[in-house]
Amino acid sequence: MSLIIPHTGRRVPCEQCPLRPLETFRDFTAPEIKFVSHFKTGEMMAEPGAVIVSEGAHSAHLYTLLSGWAFRFKTLPDGRRQVLNYLLPGDLVGLQGSVIGEMDHSVEALSSVVLCVFQRDRLDELFGAHPGLGFDVTWLAAQEERMLDNHLLSLGRRTALERTAYLLSFLHERALALEMGKRVQIPINQQHVADTLGLSIVHTNKTLRKLTNMELIRWLGGACEVLDLDGLMDVAGWEGLSRRKRPLI
Amino acid sequence: MSLIIPHTGRRVPCEQCPLRPLETFRDFTAPEIKFVSHFKTGEMMAEPGAVIVSEGAHSAHLYTLLSGWAFRFKTLPDGRRQVLNYLLPGDLVGLQGSVIGEMDHSVEALSSVVLCVFQRDRLDELFGAHPGLGFDVTWLAAQEERMLDNHLLSLGRRTALERTAYLLSFLHERALALEMGKRVQIPINQQHVADTLGLSIVHTNKTLRKLTNMELIRWLGGACEVLDLDGLMDVAGWEGLSRRKRPLI
DNA sequence: CGCGGTATTGAGACGTATCAAAGGAAGTGG
DNA sequence: CCACTTCCTTTGATACGTCTCAATACCGCG
């Protein structure tokens, strides 16, 4: 179940990118879109479970997630796994590798996924020709940092119940920003939750049960639905994401 | 004990920055140094315990730590505190705020500290005039992200002993990269360690005692000395930092 | 029908938190 | 120079949250 299907053909021209019209993304100027379009060299698809980039790799590519869900993770030598963050459409994949030179974590698809492919070595070109886009890359990195700060706070100082509530409301909010109005389903299983929150799978199960009994969420086997976002955020003691518009590269 | 001493005078011209000659920092071209020098508007000093920037603030400044130690942290509404990362000379302070617009965490000085002050709103100028420096800012953000990934792995998947060993070897390595050869003293107390690792202070104390008995560290009341770096890294199951040269802005 | 991946549940063990108390070092004011 | 405070560290006892082990149930799929 570990399929990656590269194809050079481009189905989605940047000018008609389905993401760009969404509320969350800031408007780009015509030259900016043109540059991004020129920067993009192709698309890549992957099925759930496929490893998109792996730790230690020296990838020549940088991606933007066009559709689907994925997650970043690291593993300890003995196999213990930690999920670092989740990737949703519009997120850059592999920036660390592109900027620093070597990936320090792996990325795996949660659902079927389509990625826009960029040439890593043309990143300087982007900074040179479009300082605004360069700034945007930094913006995205800072935003990721901010999410990690929150996750760290969660792991370090929240109880199992609070953490779980935080994670699910976080993911729900992120998805909601993209699919306004639609019914959101988070495509994760309990092992993912456990590996994200630093909990055992058994205790994760018991904690999710509590949230289910409180009628805050619904578990669907391979996916999760948030029934009461405010309630969840309340349990977590979390304020929610900023509503600021973000760049899309 | 919460002193911040701003002064507009500049004692350290960038051309004679004491950090720049160090091994860890990459060479800058003359125009780059000139720009950074022009970008810098002054210096600021702070004493241990002083809050340099605080959560929610909308700061007009961006800093580089010139000397001393500091740390970033967040707090939950009920007061639980989580240390996110430590700041050492050469680190940018307040980048998130400058790029996104609002600080999401606070920064506090651990030791006496000197900061170079930059005008936040001239950051675009940097990206515009020196794409290479813009790239460097992104590089630094990516590097911070990488450290946070490692901390997350630690909190999520390492035991108390492993975590503590990781933290101290991490800080020791970072300091070592700056003060090659010198005897490194990490200016933290056990409360900081506890708040970094998500442990209670009592358990932190007992864990530090174990490391002390193993003769891996020495505790000095208000500071810590690493006696056996390899031993510590072994306990932590950690590979160490990359030896790559970094930019200094 | 049987199988692999996933979710569920109970029981006991272990790691870490909490509570409580005391010792040491540094600084302050009398 | 001594009492006194304050901050930091240390230690023991007990409580609690989470882990591990073990077993069962569930479900889609070949």
Side-chain angles (χ1 to χ4, degrees):
Chain A
M1 195 47 89
S2 185
L3 272 181
I4 295 194
I5 306 157
H7 65 108
T8 44
R10 61 184 316 160
R11 314 250 275 266
V12 179
C14 295
E15 291 79 4
Q16 289 150 46
C17 179
L19 294 178
R20 219 166 271 289
L22 297 181
E23 266 291 318
T24 7
F25 297 105
R26 81 159 172 84
D27 290 331
F28 268 38
T29 65
E32 281 173 337
I33 296 187
K34 188 158 170 224
F35 180 86
V36 172
S37 182
H38 146 85
F39 187 34
K40 173 172 170 180
T41 64
E43 285 173 17
M44 192 174 87
M45 317 185 76
E47 291 306 312
V51 174
I52 297 166
V53 297
S54 48
E55 194 170 339
H58 205 92
S59 169
H61 300 298
L62 171 66
Y63 310 92
T64 290
L65 190 50
L66 186 58
S67 70
W69 294 63
F71 65 98
R72 304 197 300 119
F73 66 99
K74 281 174 79 76
T75 49
L76 247 18
D78 65 5
R80 284 175 281 179
R81 180 176 80 165
Q82 177 65 38
V83 173
L84 304 167
N85 200 6
Y86 291 83
L87 298 162
L88 276 80
D91 285 353
L92 284 178
V93 180
L95 179 63
Q96 275 189 44
S98 298
V99 172
I100 300 182
E102 194 190 336
M103 290 300 292
D104 199 39
H105 62 258
S106 307
V107 177
E108 186 179 315
L110 271 174
S111 64
S112 291
V113 135
V114 181
L115 302 138
C116 301
V117 182
F118 306 107
Q119 279 312 119
R120 172 201 153 161
D121 50 25
R122 274 162 62 196
L123 200 53
D124 338 357
E125 213 178 302
L126 180 150
F127 277 84
H130 288 269
L133 293 181
F135 189 89
D136 284 342
V137 172
T138 307
W139 194 98
L140 288 169
Q143 189 65 30
E144 174 74 12
E145 206 181 302
R146 185 180 277 225
M147 289 189 269
L148 295 179
D149 285 353
N150 276 302
H151 296 171
L152 226 26
L153 173 61
S154 223
L155 285 206
R157 289 300 176 213
R158 281 195 247 249
T159 66
L161 191 73
E162 291 168 343
R163 269 184 239 186
T164 310
Y166 162 72
L167 174 63
L168 296 177
S169 48
F170 167 74
L171 291 176
H172 185 80
E173 276 233 315
R174 290 208 61 196
L176 216 54
L178 293 163
E179 331 191 27
M180 292 299 288
K182 286 189 204 142
R183 179 87 137 317
V184 173
Q185 298 214 146
I186 305 169
I188 52 177
N189 63 31
Q190 303 191 352
Q191 186 68 62
H192 292 121
V193 176
D195 287 348
T196 309
L197 301 180
L199 300 172
S200 74
I201 188 161
V202 173
H203 199 250
T204 298
N205 177 278
K206 288 170 183 169
T207 307
L208 287 170
R209 180 127 304 282
K210 276 190 203 163
L211 291 176
T212 304
N213 292 339
M214 294 163 81
E215 298 190 323
L216 299 175
I217 63 164
R218 200 150 63 109
W219 201 263
L220 302 162
C224 171
E225 234 177 80
V226 170
L227 300 177
D228 178 358
L229 179 58
D230 291 338
L232 264 192
M233 287 172 53
D234 223 52
V235 171
W238 185 57
E239 300 287 315
L241 296 166
S242 93
R243 297 251 179 303
R244 229 173 275 275
K245 291 210 178 201
R246 44 186 285 211
L248 172 63
I249 291 170
Chain B
M1 195 50 88
S2 185
L3 272 181
I4 295 194
I5 306 158
H7 64 109
T8 44
R10 60 183 316 162
R11 313 250 274 267
V12 180
C14 295
E15 291 78 4
Q16 288 149 46
C17 179
L19 295 178
R20 218 166 272 289
L22 298 182
E23 265 292 316
T24 6
F25 297 106
R26 82 159 171 85
D27 290 331
F28 268 38
T29 64
E32 281 173 338
I33 297 187
K34 190 161 169 219
F35 180 86
V36 172
S37 181
H38 145 86
F39 187 35
K40 174 171 169 180
T41 63
E43 285 172 18
M44 192 174 88
M45 315 183 76
E47 291 306 312
V51 174
I52 297 166
V53 298
S54 50
E55 195 170 339
H58 205 92
S59 167
H61 301 298
L62 172 66
Y63 311 91
T64 290
L65 190 49
L66 186 57
S67 70
W69 295 62
F71 65 97
R72 305 198 297 120
F73 67 98
K74 283 175 76 78
T75 50
L76 246 19
D78 65 5
R80 283 174 281 178
R81 180 175 81 163
Q82 176 65 37
V83 173
L84 304 167
N85 201 6
Y86 291 82
L87 298 163
L88 276 81
D91 286 352
L92 284 178
V93 180
L95 180 63
Q96 275 189 43
S98 298
V99 172
I100 300 182
E102 193 190 336
M103 289 300 292
D104 199 39
H105 62 258
S106 306
V107 177
E108 187 178 315
L110 272 174
S111 63
S112 290
V113 136
V114 181
L115 302 139
C116 301
V117 182
F118 306 106
Q119 279 312 118
R120 172 199 153 160
D121 50 26
R122 275 163 60 196
L123 200 54
D124 336 356
E125 213 179 302
L126 181 148
F127 276 84
H130 289 269
L133 293 181
F135 189 89
D136 284 343
V137 173
T138 307
W139 193 98
L140 289 169
Q143 189 66 29
E144 174 74 13
E145 205 182 300
R146 185 180 278 225
M147 290 189 268
L148 295 179
D149 285 352
N150 275 301
H151 296 171
L152 225 26
L153 173 62
S154 223
L155 284 205
R157 290 299 177 213
R158 280 194 248 249
T159 65
L161 190 72
E162 292 168 341
R163 268 184 242 188
T164 310
Y166 162 72
L167 175 63
L168 296 178
S169 48
F170 167 75
L171 291 176
H172 184 80
E173 276 234 316
R174 289 207 62 196
L176 217 52
L178 292 164
E179 331 191 28
M180 291 301 287
K182 285 188 205 143
R183 181 80 138 321
V184 173
Q185 297 214 148
I186 305 169
I188 52 177
N189 63 30
Q190 302 191 355
Q191 186 69 63
H192 293 120
V193 176
D195 287 348
T196 308
L197 301 180
L199 300 171
S200 74
I201 188 162
V202 174
H203 197 69
T204 298
N205 177 277
K206 289 170 183 169
T207 306
L208 287 171
R209 180 126 305 281
K210 277 189 204 165
L211 292 177
T212 304
N213 292 339
M214 295 164 80
E215 299 189 321
L216 299 176
I217 63 166
R218 201 150 63 110
W219 201 262
L220 303 161
C224 171
E225 233 178 81
V226 170
L227 300 177
D228 178 358
L229 179 58
D230 290 338
L232 264 191
M233 287 172 52
D234 222 52
V235 171
W238 184 56
E239 301 287 314
L241 295 167
S242 93
R243 297 253 179 304
R244 230 173 274 274
K245 292 210 177 203
R246 44 185 285 210
L248 171 64
I249 291 168

